[in-house]
Amino acid sequence: MTISDGKITSDLDSAINRYEAALSAINKASNPQPEKVLEVLAARDVLSATLGRTPQPAPESLITVLQLDDRLKEQAESINEAANLGRWRRSFNPPQAAWWWYIDELQTASKQWDWLWELLSVACLVTTTSFIASIQPRFAVGGVGITEAFGMLSHSGLTLLVAGGSFTKGGQQFVQGLLKNLKIPLKYQSEVTTGLSAIMMLSALALNASLPLLAKYYSQNGQKNLHQGLLEQAGNNLDQAIALDPQNADFHLYRGEVYEALLKFDDAQTAYQTALAGNKYKAFNNLGRLAFLKKDYTLAEMMFRLGLENIQTDEVKYKLYKNLGWTLLQKKSYSEAIDSLKIAIDIDEKQAPENREGLAHCILFEVLQAAKSDTESLETEKQKCAENREKFAASREFDWYTHTLQRLGAIKAAPQQPPPTQKP
């Protein structure tokens, strides 16, 4: 190696060292000063010139230059924020081959599709906010659980955060700073924001799709409360279920039963009619029961007969025939009452012994007694009624009738006393 070659090699090493030092200065500064950026560009100019007059640069030196150039490209965001490269180019007129003077244009080229990502973000956010706006009021009925409240608030907060980053300058700066702290390069931030918007939209869609399941959960709790006699809690849970899935006729039917247990017969009737509009024909039995309690036996008979025209399941048909027989007893239509109750008994006896109710035998005994029927039939039904007393005493409908009638009697005897809030 000649002395001249040694000098060139030394110059190349010096240029590389200067370039590396200038890059390190930018890398250490969170907000580099313009003069620091200018030093990087000048150092790269010197390095380019030195490489141009170096006949055979060492491979190690070339690899180092490539690595340093990669570092420079990684600092493009900081450089663009600190320097007005367009004005500098007009002053110094660098050649097109000096790509480091045009690093802002290189970055702009890589972000030419940002408008599309931002458009997709806006579409996702509009969809998300519309779903949240329609879902959130539904949780304000029966009280929101901790899990639901946290999920809704966090979802809404994230939506507002990303929306602010899309629609406002301050929001954009905040989101950019946040993503920068997460080590996400600026050139990918539009894509990341779009991804977050899409995730929120999908989660909002998933939440909306899960509303019927959540409504069923509240309904099950309401039914459990109803059986326990916790009527206020039952009402709250069923109100929440209806708010989440208002088209579910079962929920309105159960809500009507809570109203009925509270002796709010007008509200119960409205709930049963809503269930009936949703093709829940079991509501005919409940509407007939209400009419029976109000001693409107003509309306009760009509409801029970309409139910028999629409319902096929043995469980409900048994109740309808039994209640129809009970109603006909009140109307002193003994022959029709006997026919109806015998059909109910036939349906009941087709069930497994442990599932039979037996109450129809007791009503039939009352009918036969009122009709002054033959003693043999009377004694038979009396015996079967006694045999099944333990079963039908635990029957929900029997419990419903006896306690409701007792409470109605108590209210008539002492009208100044408000009805109890729980079943006895």
Side-chain angles (χ1 to χ4, degrees):
M1 182 178 69
T2 65
I3 295 175
S4 177
D5 290 339
K7 183 177 184 304
I8 292 174
T9 301
S10 177
D11 288 345
L12 180 58
D13 289 340
S14 177
I16 290 174
N17 290 336
R18 177 185 175 184
Y19 184 32
E20 182 176 14
L23 279 173
S24 297
I26 286 183
N27 190 40
K28 291 177 182 178
S30 57
N31 296 303
Q33 297 300 313
E35 55 268 22
K36 297 291 185 182
V37 175
L38 193 57
E39 168 60 18
V40 171
L41 301 179
R44 188 61 179 82
D45 283 341
V46 172
L47 177 57
S48 177
T50 306
L51 282 171
R53 62 175 183 268
T54 303
Q56 292 183 339
E60 295 83 358
S61 297
L62 293 177
I63 290 174
T64 301
V65 172
L66 290 173
Q67 292 173 342
L68 293 174
D69 282 346
D70 286 340
R71 287 175 56 185
L72 175 59
K73 292 172 184 177
E74 291 174 359
Q75 298 298 322
E77 297 175 25
S78 300
I79 290 173
N80 289 336
E81 292 175 1
N84 187 339
L85 293 182
R87 184 169 64 84
W88 288 6
R89 285 193 295 271
R90 288 191 295 273
S91 296
F92 301 115
N93 196 25
Q96 287 291 333
W99 57 265
W100 47 93
W101 284 92
Y102 299 87
I103 198 168
D104 57 334
E105 294 183 355
L106 293 176
Q107 188 181 39
T108 301
S110 69
K111 293 174 67 63
Q112 61 180 327
W113 295 105
D114 279 4
W115 66 272
L116 178 59
W117 293 115
E118 291 173 0
L119 183 62
L120 291 173
S121 293
V122 171
C124 290
L125 289 170
V126 169
T127 303
T128 302
T129 51
S130 65
F131 270 105
I132 291 178
S134 65
I135 292 171
Q136 206 159 11
R138 300 187 188 184
F139 287 88
V141 179
V144 187
I146 295 175
T147 303
E148 295 88 354
F150 178 78
M152 186 68 67
L153 290 174
S154 62
H155 197 284
S156 302
L158 190 56
T159 301
L160 292 173
L161 173 63
V162 179
S166 298
F167 300 133
T168 66
K169 184 176 180 180
Q172 290 173 356
Q173 293 175 348
F174 178 78
V175 172
Q176 287 174 3
L178 179 62
L179 296 178
K180 184 177 180 181
N181 290 335
L182 295 175
K183 307 299 182 184
I184 297 174
L186 181 61
K187 61 182 179 180
Y188 297 127
Q189 289 184 5
S190 294
E191 290 87 336
V192 171
T193 303
T194 301
L196 288 173
S197 302
I199 290 172
M200 288 188 296
M201 181 185 72
L202 292 174
S203 62
L205 290 172
L207 177 61
N208 185 69
S210 69
L211 289 182
L213 291 176
L214 190 56
K216 187 176 181 180
Y217 163 78
Y218 278 108
S219 173
Q220 290 172 343
N221 284 344
Q223 293 175 66
K224 186 185 300 183
N225 297 147
L226 178 59
H227 284 291
Q228 295 169 341
L230 305 174
L231 301 183
E232 184 176 353
Q233 294 180 29
N236 288 337
N237 276 308
L238 288 166
D239 283 340
Q240 184 65 83
I242 292 170
L244 294 173
D245 188 6
Q247 302 304 317
N248 193 308
D250 282 319
F251 301 162
H252 294 281
L253 188 71
Y254 303 143
R255 189 62 178 99
E257 291 178 353
V258 175
Y259 281 131
E260 188 176 341
L262 291 167
L263 307 182
K264 296 181 178 180
F265 295 147
D266 291 340
D267 291 331
Q269 182 174 338
T270 300
Y272 292 149
Q273 288 171 342
T274 304
L276 196 60
N279 297 325
K280 194 65 181 179
Y281 296 123
K282 185 181 176 182
F284 279 120
N285 180 64
N286 296 39
L287 286 167
R289 191 170 62 202
L290 276 181
F292 183 96
L293 291 171
K294 294 178 180 179
K295 297 185 178 182
D296 187 346
Y297 301 122
T298 300
L299 178 59
E301 179 185 356
M302 183 180 71
M303 290 293 106
F304 295 138
R305 292 191 185 279
L306 285 172
L308 288 169
E309 291 177 5
N310 289 277
I311 292 175
Q312 302 299 321
T313 60
D314 284 345
E315 178 189 359
V316 183
K317 284 176 69 176
Y318 165 74
K319 291 181 179 180
L320 288 165
Y321 277 115
K322 178 191 67 178
N323 291 336
L324 177 59
W326 204 341
T327 302
L328 292 169
L329 168 62
Q330 311 306 316
K331 297 182 71 175
K332 296 183 172 53
S333 300
Y334 302 131
S335 178
E336 290 182 89
I338 291 171
D339 292 339
S340 180
L341 289 166
K342 284 184 176 180
I343 296 174
I345 289 170
D346 288 341
I347 294 173
D348 196 29
E349 290 184 348
K350 290 178 183 178
Q351 307 299 317
E354 64 273 13
N355 294 330
R356 296 173 189 168
E357 183 194 52
L359 179 57
H361 287 291
C362 298
I363 302 174
L364 181 55
F365 168 72
E366 291 187 32
V367 175
L368 293 173
Q369 192 175 41
K372 297 181 172 53
S373 183
D374 60 280
T375 307
E376 184 178 351
S377 298
L378 194 64
E379 288 301 317
T380 299
E381 295 306 321
K382 181 178 180 181
Q383 182 179 352
K384 289 184 178 180
C385 175
E387 291 173 356
N388 290 280
R389 182 174 296 278
E390 185 176 344
K391 289 182 181 178
F392 71 70
S395 162
R396 183 180 176 190
E397 192 159 46
F398 178 76
D399 177 73
W400 208 276
Y401 275 119
T402 54
H403 287 305
T404 301
L405 290 171
Q406 288 173 6
R407 290 167 63 189
L408 282 172
I411 291 172
K412 290 178 180 179
Q416 73 279 8
Q417 296 295 326
T421 58
Q422 298 185 2
K423 287 172 57 179

